[in-house]
Amino acid sequence: MPFTEDGCRAAPGVVTIHDVSTTRDGLLAAAAEAFDRDGYVRATIDDVCDRAGVTKGALYGHFSSKKALALAVLDRQAREWALVRERLQRVHRSPLQVLVDLGYAVNRDRAVVQRLLFQAPLCDDVAERQVARWTATVLDLLRHAENRGELRPGVDLVECADGVVAALVGVHLMAMAVDGPSGGARQVADVWRTWLPAVAKPAVYAALRITPR
Amino acid sequence: MAVAQGARTRAALVAAGIELFDRDGYDGTSLDAVCRRVSVTKGALYRHFPAKQALAVAVVEEYFRRWHVVRAECEARVGPLQALVDLTHRMAELTATDPTVRVGVRLLFTSELFDLLAGLHFSSLTTTARDLLRQAAAAGELNPNLDPRREAEAIAAAVVGAQALTVITKSSNHRLSAMWHHRLDRLVPPSRRDLYRIG
């Protein structure tokens, strides 16, 4: 029985906002599973419908194509990471600690995104933009750290952001190929151990927690 | 005679595969197009490659071979640690400029070959880095108390990430230079730091 946003029972047959959002969320969750298991090329719309328990017509009401569905999965993940960053910024004073913990959060949730993002033909359209977003996020946190006087003088922040993102992408790809979806936390720690002593002032680095919480 | 002819056809098919995968991507390339490019029948192609994936694997093997060749070139010129720095730079550079390397990386990282071959490649990359680091350690080049296996994994990850971003963004910047700059600070004693060239 459908419920409206305020929990009241809606009249039968009336489509509420709540229905729309739960169907959409259900489809996105089902699509994430299908893409994770089969990859972008092999995953089918039929399978996503079966998993979500909706008709093909209902799916096409929300997403015009498999590609649109994949892009929506990536966008949802990007929004979740943005929320994680906001939450971390409320908890930690140091932007570098936010960066460290964000790296672990992304590593934990990366499976579907990495498979989708780096898989042809989708990667030709979206990966560059996504990588640019990650680099912008890292750069932004580094600039905050610089403004707070946490960095060594003369650090090339753009070069650092590029290098950190490349290293994290490499860690994720290797973990996906070698360890399966759960690996990589130790290697993420190695990225921080390589880069942060080079950019942070020694006292700042000493105060950072480098391992996952 | 027939054997030489077969090897020539195979090499031509691999070359055409590199060209077409580069232009049209893995999913956009058909074996018919490869046959047309080389002017052979589908039957002749199937004698060498039973499916598109087999042709792609042969292309990736060419890319693997490039690693071995470049490693030998680097090791012939300089000591083990400098050879490792040079090898990673050279391969990152070739990812941007050399069709075989570019296509190999692209196929390996973004096609169905990832599940088949990426694990193998990443292990062998890590082993290469570890070998050279161990040789450097044995020659007294490195700080004591380093774990060569762990350092090697981190170096391999940085190389894989730099290559992935090079094919994705179609631009190579100096992602590895800064990595090596910081890493050499860790790996070698300050007194020897100036002996190494980056990039």
Side-chain angles (χ1 to χ4, degrees):
Chain A
M1 177 62 76
F3 285 81
T4 54
E5 291 283 22
D6 56 4
C8 297
R9 209 167 271 233
V14 174
V15 176
T16 65
I17 293 170
H18 195 64
D19 285 332
V20 172
S21 69
T22 51
T23 305
R24 195 173 189 280
D25 285 347
L27 281 167
L28 287 175
E33 277 173 34
F35 287 134
D36 187 26
R37 201 194 57 187
D38 302 328
Y40 177 71
V41 176
R42 292 226 178 94
T44 65
I45 291 282
D46 285 329
D47 184 39
V48 174
C49 290
D50 284 348
R51 281 164 187 270
V54 304
T55 63
K56 232 165 158 169
L59 183 144
Y60 283 117
H62 291 277
F63 305 102
S64 59
S65 63
K66 182 161 85 170
K67 184 172 165 185
L69 191 55
L71 294 179
V73 169
L74 289 172
D75 278 347
R76 185 176 72 152
Q77 189 61 62
R79 274 199 305 280
E80 277 173 26
W81 283 333
L83 292 176
V84 170
R85 179 185 168 181
E86 283 172 27
R87 191 168 50 70
L88 289 170
Q89 279 175 329
R90 286 195 296 273
V91 177
H92 299 309
R93 217 177 303 156
S94 167
L96 295 179
Q97 189 66 61
V98 174
L99 179 60
V100 167
D101 284 352
L102 190 57
Y104 288 116
V106 171
N107 180 58
R108 265 193 306 275
D109 305 336
R110 67 166 196 271
V112 69
V113 171
Q114 294 279 328
R115 268 198 92 101
L116 277 182
L117 197 61
F118 295 129
Q119 206 152 67
L122 205 60
C123 68
D124 296 322
D125 298 322
V126 298
E128 188 168 0
R129 195 187 54 168
Q130 182 63 58
V131 167
R133 271 194 211 157
W134 286 338
T135 309
T137 300
V138 174
L139 187 58
D140 192 46
L141 289 167
L142 289 173
R143 289 216 168 106
H144 279 298
E146 187 176 50
N147 290 339
R148 289 169 46 86
E150 294 187 0
L151 302 192
R152 291 167 181 269
V155 175
D156 183 335
L157 298 187
V158 172
E159 183 188 72
C160 178
D162 275 343
V164 164
V165 170
L168 290 175
V169 166
V171 164
H172 298 328
L173 285 171
M174 283 182 66
M176 221 166 71
V178 181
D179 308 335
S182 60
R186 186 173 60 75
Q187 289 84 349
V188 172
D190 276 346
V191 172
W192 300 137
R193 283 202 192 89
T194 305
W195 285 90
L196 292 179
V199 299
K201 288 179 177 163
V204 172
Y205 180 68
L208 290 174
R209 173 179 42 73
I210 295 301
T211 50
R213 215 168 8 180
Chain B
M1 190 63 193
V3 173
Q5 176 64 40
R8 268 201 301 277
T9 304
R10 188 182 189 283
L13 288 167
V14 171
I18 290 169
E19 189 186 322
L20 295 182
F21 288 138
D22 194 24
R23 196 186 68 191
D24 302 331
Y26 180 73
D27 294 299
T29 297
S30 71
L31 288 183
D32 286 326
V34 174
C35 290
R36 277 199 302 277
R37 188 79 192 77
V38 185
S39 305
V40 301
T41 62
K42 207 124 182 221
L45 181 142
Y46 281 136
R47 269 201 292 284
H48 295 282
F49 304 109
K52 181 160 75 171
Q53 196 185 66
L55 177 62
V57 168
V59 169
V60 170
E61 280 168 354
E62 285 296 312
Y63 158 65
F64 289 166
R65 216 185 323 279
R66 204 58 73 85
W67 271 97
H68 295 296
V69 170
V70 174
R71 176 182 173 176
E73 284 168 8
C74 293
E75 281 192 278
R77 280 197 301 262
V78 289
L81 182 55
Q82 184 66 57
L84 180 57
V85 176
D86 292 352
L87 170 62
T88 58
H89 271 293
R90 185 83 187 111
M91 290 309 291
E93 206 176 281
L94 290 174
T95 307
T97 58
D98 181 293
T100 302
V101 175
R102 179 171 65 224
V103 173
V105 170
R106 226 182 150 72
L107 287 173
L108 192 56
F109 290 17
T110 72
S111 83
E112 62 190 18
L113 296 197
F114 185 88
D115 290 338
L116 206 61
L117 292 173
L120 179 81
H121 175 55
F122 297 160
S123 306
S124 106
L125 202 57
T126 309
T127 306
T128 299
R130 197 193 53 202
D131 281 354
L132 290 168
L133 285 177
R134 284 200 176 139
Q135 288 177 38
E141 291 187 73
L142 303 189
N143 279 323
N145 303 326
L146 287 166
D147 177 353
R149 195 179 58 87
R150 218 163 140 167
E151 297 293 330
E153 262 182 28
I155 292 164
V159 172
V160 165
Q163 286 189 305
L165 296 195
T166 298
V167 296
I168 284 166
T169 65
K170 292 157 195 92
S171 83
S172 92
N173 60 18
H174 302 289
R175 292 180 188 97
L176 287 181
S177 302
M179 183 280 285
W180 273 120
H181 190 76
H182 305 323
R183 195 161 290 279
L184 285 177
D185 287 344
R186 269 162 60 101
L187 290 177
V188 302
S191 58
R192 294 183 51 88
R193 181 64 183 76
D194 289 345
L195 299 176
Y196 299 94
R197 285 174 294 101
I198 297 171

